[in-house]
Amino acid sequence: MGDRANFGSKLGVILATAGSAVGLGNVWRFPYMTGENGGAVFILIYINCVVVLGIPCMISEFIVGRHGQANTARAFSKLANGSPWALIGYMGVLTGFLITGYYAVVSGWCLQYIWASLIGHLQGNPEYFKTYFTELSTDPVKPVFWTVVILFMTYLIIEHGVRSGIERASKLLMPTLFILLLLIVGASCMLPNATKGIEFLFKPDLSKLTADVFLGALGQSFYSMSIAMGCLCTYASYFSKYTNLTKSATQIALIDSMVAILAGLMIFPAAFSVGVNPDSGPSLIFITLPNVFQQAFASLPLVGYCISLLFFLLLSLAALTSLMSLHEVSTAFIHEEMKMSRKKAALVVTISASVIGAFCSLSMGAVDGLVIFGKSLFDWFDFITGQVFLPIVGFLTCIFIGWFVPHHIVRKEFTNDGELKSRGYLRLFYLFIFLVKYVCPMAILVIFLHQFGLLK
Ligand code: PHE
């Protein structure tokens, strides 16, 4: 497959993959998880999870993807050699596909918030922000409209292919995202009493360390690094044979964690400065934050207006680059397995993800009957993809690489066919095998059992 598409440069590899990792998970989920789980202690455990578990799992997916030079399903099949292990790849594609529609709904809310900030609708008292969000999420038209808009924006990028679509867009969007991030962090940290928020993020209070903090950090690190959704494997199939997988995974993990911590530095100093407790859970970004920005910059309304606008712009850019990677998982699969042109495949994915997204969105209150066993369709997607499929696919991938695939094949991929052969690097290889063989599967099993109350 000499003519298979690939990323044109090292920078492209890093920015595109970091674009997949940096998303709503960093700017939305990480801050509220930190708020709920004791601040600095959570961050400390989180970083350990990224290094010990996240990076090895990321490398495992890279190995499958680059070795396979094909979409996730076929890449796993190639290494599985006709055994049922091939199913992991299909599960990865399915998980990636299912999450696309649901992720697009939340991304759509971000677009609506850009619009609302722009026309000055994001101003009022705390009660107003609550009503605003409830009305938006239960509206039958607006969120569906924005979901479809963001999916079509993704389509316009994806249909241009790997280099001129994904890579080019990432090279533009990721630096923009960084600049916005630094601007808002600067403004937030200059507020009076900002130091309290900074302390909350960096001064660990070990008395807050509980099993839940540990499990929360573990789950968050996997979600944030885009593990087990087929994305890393699909992107790795576009890496060149010279890409150093360990180095790239480490750089991507570093960027991802830095963005998460900077997102904390954007939100906590502002929240503490106006005395708002940042432990409000998922509504932190959409309800608490607009209010915090408005109050914090009350004496400089124009700055407040710009910060709020830039914040939702940043959130949307982060969501878009993640959505691109999710979309690509199914696009590559349909394009290669069903022999459809790339454009057509991308369109099929966009339309079907729009339908799923629309149903998820409508299940939040606009239409009765989309609530199954007391959970809305939206919550079901969140639950099935994040809490069931993600741990299963992650667990099986580690077992597959650690126990099933012959180690000489894993080693060949890990060392770029023997090119990377210093003694230190080979030690890293043995460490990697140890981690994916024992440590990662055990840790994933523990979160999984705990989630279902089987382990207290
Ligand atoms: N990692 C992304 C985030 O932090 C979410 C994501 C998960 C994207 C899986 C793609 C695949 O938001």
Side-chain angles (χ1 to χ4, degrees):
M1 273 209 190
D3 56 353
R4 186 175 163 75
N6 59 15
F7 291 125
S9 64
K10 271 192 208 160
L11 186 68
V13 165
I14 301 294
L15 290 183
T17 319
S20 166
V22 171
L24 297 170
N26 304 60
V27 191
W28 174 50
R29 203 164 180 270
F30 180 83
Y32 84 72
M33 291 290 286
T34 306
E36 283 180 335
N37 286 291
V41 169
F42 177 82
I43 298 186
L44 209 63
I45 306 286
Y46 175 82
I47 292 175
N48 279 291
C49 291
V50 168
V51 175
V52 179
L53 307 166
I55 294 181
C57 287
M58 186 178 254
I59 297 175
S60 303
E61 281 194 46
F62 283 174
I63 287 177
V64 178
R66 191 179 59 178
H67 177 269
Q69 292 292 300
N71 66 81
T72 302
R74 195 184 303 176
F76 272 90
S77 303
K78 280 189 182 168
L79 280 175
N81 251 338
S83 72
W85 285 102
L87 284 177
I88 318 174
Y90 287 89
M91 267 183 88
V93 174
L94 184 67
T95 318
F97 173 67
L98 292 180
I99 207 178
T100 310
Y102 141 88
Y103 199 86
V105 175
V106 185
S107 314
W109 295 342
C110 304
L111 291 188
Q112 162 74 27
Y113 270 66
I114 296 185
W115 176 242
S117 307
L118 201 65
I119 57 174
H121 275 188
L122 229 43
Q123 279 156 11
N125 58 26
E127 219 23 66
Y128 168 79
F129 289 111
K130 220 185 227 165
T131 323
Y132 186 86
F133 179 66
T134 317
E135 278 178 4
L136 167 67
S137 56
T138 55
D139 191 278
V141 182
K142 271 190 214 158
V144 177
F145 169 75
W146 291 113
T147 303
V148 175
V149 169
I150 195 136
L151 278 168
F152 269 87
M153 283 164 75
T154 313
Y155 166 78
L156 291 179
I157 296 170
I158 291 286
E159 67 142 6
H160 279 95
V162 175
R163 263 194 214 189
S164 24
I166 299 174
E167 184 170 353
R168 221 171 66 188
S170 305
K171 281 185 173 162
L172 180 76
L173 299 178
M174 291 304 284
T176 315
L177 187 140
F178 263 109
I179 294 170
L180 292 179
L181 196 59
L182 293 178
L183 266 178
I184 305 176
V185 168
S188 179
C189 288
M190 278 189 319
L191 290 167
N193 280 329
T195 40
K196 270 206 224 145
I198 300 176
E199 261 178 30
F200 179 76
L201 279 177
F202 295 118
K203 216 165 148 195
D205 173 357
L206 290 180
S207 67
K208 297 207 171 123
L209 184 59
T210 60
D212 278 345
V213 171
F214 191 80
L215 297 169
L218 196 55
Q220 172 63 20
S221 63
F222 275 49
Y223 181 82
S224 187
M225 293 174 80
S226 300
I227 287 166
M229 303 277 180
C231 297
L232 300 175
C233 189
T234 307
Y235 273 14
S237 72
Y238 306 132
F239 290 3
S240 85
K241 61 180 188 193
Y242 304 109
T243 306
N244 180 329
L245 301 183
T246 314
K247 197 164 146 194
S248 307
T250 311
Q251 287 169 340
I252 292 157
L254 196 71
I255 296 179
D256 187 54
S257 305
M258 241 168 54
V259 172
I261 293 173
L262 285 173
L265 271 178
M266 205 160 53
I267 293 166
F268 291 105
F272 277 89
S273 143
V274 292
V276 169
N277 230 352
D279 58 358
S280 55
S283 61
L284 176 71
I285 293 293
F286 295 106
I287 298 176
T288 316
L289 209 62
N291 174 35
V292 163
F293 283 149
Q294 183 187 298
Q295 284 189 37
F297 298 99
S299 55
L300 299 162
L302 188 64
V303 177
Y305 173 89
C306 293
I307 293 289
S308 167
L309 182 62
L310 295 181
F311 176 79
F312 287 107
L313 187 62
L314 172 136
L315 200 57
S316 307
L317 295 184
L320 182 63
T321 51
S322 294
L323 211 45
M324 275 156 43
S325 72
L326 285 165
H327 196 294
E328 179 64 20
V329 173
S330 315
T331 302
F333 175 76
I334 296 182
H335 168 52
E336 291 168 6
E337 299 304 313
M338 300 178 188
K339 309 274 174 277
M340 212 181 257
S341 74
R342 190 181 162 83
K343 272 191 186 179
K344 252 198 204 144
L347 195 62
V348 168
V349 176
T350 305
I351 293 173
S352 36
S354 298
V355 173
I356 294 187
F359 276 106
C360 281
S361 176
L362 293 173
S363 77
M364 302 216 41
V367 174
D368 295 336
L370 291 175
V371 174
I372 307 157
F373 296 123
K375 254 192 211 288
S376 67
L377 208 59
F378 182 91
D379 290 337
W380 272 112
F381 270 87
D382 180 37
F383 174 75
I384 293 180
T385 51
Q387 278 157 301
V388 182
F389 280 17
L390 188 152
I392 293 180
V393 175
F395 176 82
L396 292 176
T397 306
C398 291
I399 300 282
F400 182 58
I401 289 290
W403 297 86
F404 180 84
V405 179
H407 281 182
H408 70 269
I409 299 185
V410 180
R411 182 169 163 157
K412 202 169 156 197
E413 221 36 76
F414 191 93
T415 59
N416 290 356
D417 211 357
E419 282 297 309
L420 305 163
K421 53 178 176 244
S422 72
R423 202 186 277 166
Y425 200 74
L426 289 182
R427 279 204 197 117
L428 265 186
F429 173 69
Y430 292 113
L431 175 65
F432 163 74
I433 289 289
F434 173 72
L435 292 173
V436 287
K437 220 169 164 170
Y438 304 104
V439 183
C440 301
M442 280 298 286
I444 301 174
L445 197 64
V446 170
I447 346 180
F448 191 63
L449 295 179
H450 175 82
Q451 233 158 231
F452 291 96
L454 298 171
L455 198 76
K456 285 283 162 204

